[in-house]
Amino acid sequence: MNRSETLPTPAAIGVPHNRVDGKLKVTGAAQYAADFAADRLTYGAVVSSTIATGHIVSIDVSAALAIPGVLLVLTRKNRPQLPQAGKLYKDQVAPGGVPFRPLWDERVWYSGQPVALVVADSLELARYAASLVKVRYEATPHETDLDRALMSAVPPSTEKGGFEPPPPARGNADAMLASAAVRVDAFYTTPAEYHNPMEMHGCTVVPDEHGRLTVYEKTQGVVNTKAYLTSVFGLKDDEVQVIAPFVGGAFGSGLRPHYHLALAVMAALELKRPVRLSLTRQQMFTFAHRPQSIQRVALCAAKDGTLQAVIHEAVSETSRYEDYCDVVVNWAGQLYKCDNVTMGYKVVHLDVPTPADTRAPGAAQGFFPLEVAMDELAEALKMDPLELRLINYAERDANRNLPFSSKALRECYREGAARFGWANRPLEPRARREGRELIGWGMASGSWDAMQNEATARAILGRDGHVTVSSSTADIGTGTYTAMCQIAADALGVSIEQVSFELGDTRLPKAPIEGGSWTVSSVGSAVDAACKRLHTHLVELAREHGGDRFAKAAREDVKRAGKQMVCGTAEGEAVSIDTLLDCAGLDQLEEQASVKPHEKQQAYSMGTHSAVFVETRVDEALGAVRVTRVVSAVAAGRIINPKTAASQIAGGVVWGISMALHEHGLFDQALGRLMNHNLAEYHFPVNADIHAIDVLFVDEPDDIVNPLGAKGVGEIGVVGVAAAVGNAIWHATGKRVRDLPITLDKLFI
């Protein structure tokens, strides 16, 4: 036996650790979907449709095939016959309807739809050959204008799945609104916004001589992607492996498989060679976007500010073939206390690709009108906007008539306001200026559901004392690798350096897609459980094989100290892990655990909350807006890593500023085509647009939400920010803008 180590192991959870994968990323060692090499690798290029709707009359591929090095041009005429061609695949995030099937037939559903795939020996050759493919179309009338098609709005189909109607109305909001002393009733709009992660969607598909596929894919869920491939292509479970160790941002765009994956697999099976297919930046705008919306919010209150009625109705876009729905209006019935609430949601089918979950789907666009309307109500009441929110603070979730498992929103208001200096805010707009800049302060509330899904994790202890923990989850830049190492280290009683985490591989224990801010809650709870089982097993080995003192010791007195197990504080009472494994006849120690939501959660409403305070400066002559200061106060349960969590919130704030001032898809309605499908004309903030962002987390114990007491922070950072910016602009200028983004032309109208 060796002398025991006496230094205590520092806690890992709650400590601001650097990313454990950071060095791999900054040195270029991290491999993404289009980085993996393969022998005899080929390259694909997609040919996109140039009409919005209609039919393909003919495709001439002769010029492309005449070029040496061009191996294949796939079209609807020669694509492989799919074994499950008639079977509809219903993945974890597919909305109701018929999923888009590339090269299925001659129909064109939207501009930019893939109509052919060229595969060649090099990427440059494939893209050049794709430019030579000639497609003749028969165009039909299209509609891509939500305003023009508004009267065709219908409730989404509940029969097709993917949609749960808003909670039923309570009280009589219309009657209260009609007789109210103070009211606000207005329409607000949000535009289509597009995912633009650094890494564009792509994959590398590698078949072996037996037809088995190894697929390196940009995805937020390898398990989900594998289910898609086995279903559509009729492959067996052991014939597909999906790998995604690193994902260069996704924001919801990687929740479901997109057309590039199916095309690449078709080509790989046809050629029996590896195929790499990466979409261009322009093609990144041909799927998966936040849907545009038109929303009505009506509020009324007594003269003391007590809300008497809330009405929130929304119409958003979806495609012709699927009923995509965001949860836009439900927050209106939950955020504030009110007895008379009506919520409604409809969709308009347009000739566009199906929208998709986009960071804080529904909440990001739904909180904008709700929180601006609250500001307008405060203006009408001549009341401080924060005071109005406190007067109507909800202690229960009225949508479900349930208490909150925890809700520290009051503390967010108080601590955020104090940090920002809100008490010094003048009530009237246009009250402060410096030079030719008008200065305004605005605020808004935020909320997002705290969710948990079933997940499984495995922990393996080696002879050197190092523990490898694994689960098939993803890290889309959120810090999953690091958070899981911290959770494991705490559960094992070791330093974070003695733990590593593996993810993004379907050979690993099953995990849900990384989305909805539920990864720490779901996978983290499984990691915690697996590591605690492993530690318990190790303690029992020590008590069995460590000698008389260990055998007589209480379990809680047997602890881990580096590569040893120790018993109490006596010198010499230690046994190495290597020795214990030898005594037990084991090469390694392994435990696995699955964790799912527990029944007591059903008695509570679980969510994260925030209060966002913003300072804007508006050039009175030019209308240029600068967001110079933001304080975001967040209640998200137990914070695993304050450093990466604050980074997530700050990133959400940047996106919220982008929503408020920059982002919008611009359509040529005559062509039915998005015109600014590039990073030069699709505007979002650059470094010069972003100034001080101060993130603070309030203390919020919660023993209901999951075993760790942790809530996700991926979504909550963006919620409410656009409204706070809009409210600050009103306070600076006296000009109320209800249509995003707030560009300088709208300030001058």
Side-chain angles (χ1 to χ4, degrees), residues 107 209 521:
R107 179 164 181 174
E209 63 273 18
S521 176

Side-chain angles (χ1 to χ4, degrees), residues 465-521:
H466 191 85
V467 178
T468 301
V469 188
S470 60
S471 184
S472 60
T473 185
D475 189 335
I476 59 175
T478 51
T480 302
Y481 277 110
T482 310
M484 298 305 155
C485 286
Q486 290 178 259
I487 293 167
D490 254 35
L492 294 163
V494 301
S495 67
I496 193 171
E497 290 76 19
Q498 293 177 276
V499 179
S500 58
F501 187 66
E502 296 177 345
L503 54 71
D505 192 324
T506 50
R507 293 172 298 184
L508 301 177
K510 189 174 181 179
I513 52 178
E514 182 173 67
S517 297
W518 59 53
T519 298
V520 165
S521 176

Side-chain angles (χ1 to χ4, degrees), residues 130-302:
S131 72
L132 302 179
V133 174
K134 304 301 180 185
V135 185
R136 286 202 308 119
Y137 303 96
E138 180 183 331
T140 55
H142 63 266
E143 184 59 85
T144 54
D145 190 330
L146 181 62
D147 285 313
R148 199 162 55 199
L150 192 60
M151 297 307 294
S152 66
V154 294
S157 172
T158 56
E159 293 180 1
K160 295 179 181 178
F163 176 66
E164 183 176 335
R170 55 181 185 265
N172 192 333
D174 289 322
M176 292 301 297
L177 185 69
S179 60
V182 182
R183 61 185 170 190
V184 170
D185 192 345
F187 285 90
Y188 306 78
T189 66
T190 63
E193 299 170 1
Y194 293 81
H195 304 85
N196 271 289
M198 288 281 285
E199 180 196 14
M200 291 171 283
H201 277 276
C203 60
T204 304
V205 180
V206 183
D208 67 12
E209 63 273 18
H210 304 293
R212 293 189 293 260
L213 300 179
T214 302
V215 179
Y216 303 95
E217 162 72 338
K218 176 191 172 84
T219 177
Q220 291 175 245
V222 292
V223 173
N224 193 44
T225 299
K226 179 177 178 176
Y228 169 82
L229 293 175
T230 55
S231 174
V232 170
F233 289 92
L235 299 168
K236 297 177 182 177
D237 184 72
D238 62 353
E239 291 179 327
V240 181
Q241 179 188 357
V242 181
I243 300 173
F246 295 97
V247 178
F251 315 114
S253 66
L255 292 178
R256 65 183 301 195
H258 298 298
Y259 62 74
H260 69 279
L261 178 61
L263 292 175
V265 171
M266 287 182 198
L269 292 175
E270 186 75 8
L271 292 171
K272 296 180 173 54
R273 287 180 61 178
V275 174
R276 175 175 296 162
L277 176 55
S278 294
L279 299 182
T280 65
R281 181 58 66 180
Q282 289 74 22
Q283 289 167 341
M284 288 289 292
F285 289 80
T286 60
F287 60 88
H289 61 280
R290 193 191 302 279
Q292 58 183 314
S293 74
I294 299 172
Q295 303 178 53
R296 177 200 174 206
V297 172
L299 307 175
C300 66

